[in-house]
Amino acid sequence: MKIVIKIGTSTLAHATGKLNIKRTSELCKTVSDLKNAGNEIILVSSGAIGMGVGKLALKEKPQDIPTKQAAAAVGQCELMYTYDRLFTEYDHTVAQILLTGSDFTAEDRHENFNNTLKRLLELGVLPIINENDTIATEEIKVGDNDTLSALVAVSVKADLLIILSDVDGLYSADPRKDPSATLVEKVYGVDEALLSTAGGEGSALGTGGMITKLRAAQICTKAGCDLVIANGNAPERLYEIVDGKFGGYTRFFAADKND
Ligand code: GLU
């Protein structure tokens, strides 16, 4: 199976902003094992700005663009150094790819990206993708890694995109406000009605960046790729997700797989 896994900063770091060593180690171990089992895996990882803030010992996340971009430049090194170290333990070679929105719209650049990625997978390498935050301006940036991971998944014709987040998945209502809210395990089709429930401020599903995840689900499912939203707090859950076992997460089925 060809699988794209999106890792959010909340999975990699503690609330203090420091690296969550246990979680990140478990994640790299599980991904390595899934690769050893024959799956082709591509990571889309956030965390550059967060790690840069830690490394530069800034008191808080910067608000101005030059400091944010400087933090991303420092943090991206730290992020890749961490992945390189952990994946090397399991004999896997990582590669860094930094993209912006225009790498998907400019045909020649998109083709270069696809060709390089294809070659990296043939070489058995684990590509790790992030937005090129240091140069991305408002006009050209994708903006969030949920969307970036969906664009990557569609480009490489992945079978599955797994978004690891700090929520278990999509709920029938906002679980923080409604104790009767239940986790929706299977979703067939992301329509405007579902998107609008997640979009409005204070609405039932408008929590934890659900709107960008639902838009990612729409991009993927229309293009024939399933999407899973799962909590990144237990990386071993990836085994069950890849095996198609249900429980504790949400799976959006690709349009051609509706049954
Ligand atoms: N590219 C950003 C970073 O590495 C994260 C963007 C996102 O998480 O959506 O810090």
Side-chain angles (χ1 to χ4, degrees), residues 120-219:
L120 285 169
L121 293 176
E122 284 164 3
L123 291 165
V125 171
L126 176 65
I128 304 181
I129 301 174
N130 196 358
E131 179 129 40
N132 195 350
D133 293 315
T134 316
I135 57 144
T137 58
E138 213 51 60
E139 299 75 44
I140 61 159
K141 74 178 174 192
V142 177
D144 69 87
N145 278 2
D146 292 330
T147 310
L148 178 64
S149 62
L151 295 176
V152 169
V154 171
S155 283
V156 303
K157 298 190 172 53
D159 303 289
L160 177 63
L161 165 60
I162 303 171
I163 294 186
L164 294 180
S165 176
D166 55 358
V167 291
D168 289 345
L170 177 72
Y171 278 85
S172 58
D174 185 343
R176 292 178 306 183
K177 293 182 193 147
D178 183 349
S180 67
T182 51
L183 185 72
V184 184
E185 290 200 346
K186 298 178 186 180
V187 181
Y188 298 92
V190 183
D191 55 17
E192 289 308 314
L194 185 59
L195 282 173
S196 65
T197 54
E201 211 183 324
S203 68
L205 304 172
T207 57
M210 193 48 76
I211 185 67
T212 52
K213 290 173 181 54
L214 288 179
R215 285 214 190 94
Q218 196 176 39
I219 295 169

Side-chain angles (χ1 to χ4, degrees), residues 44-107:
V44 174
S45 179
S46 305
I49 297 175
M51 287 211 175
V53 169
K55 187 91 178 163
L56 292 167
L58 302 177
K59 288 203 174 61
E60 55 194 24
K61 208 175 158 182
Q63 294 309 317
D64 66 295
I65 292 170
T67 317
K68 243 191 231 175
Q69 295 191 318
V74 171
Q76 183 64 30
C77 291
E78 187 67 6
L79 187 63
M80 287 310 295
Y81 170 68
T82 304
Y83 280 130
D84 195 11
R85 220 163 16 91
L86 292 170
F87 280 115
T88 298
E89 270 185 47
Y90 302 103
D91 257 342
H92 287 293
T93 302
V94 298
Q96 168 186 270
I97 303 179
L98 299 177
L99 301 169
T100 59
S102 46
D103 296 318
F104 292 94
T105 48
E107 221 172 285

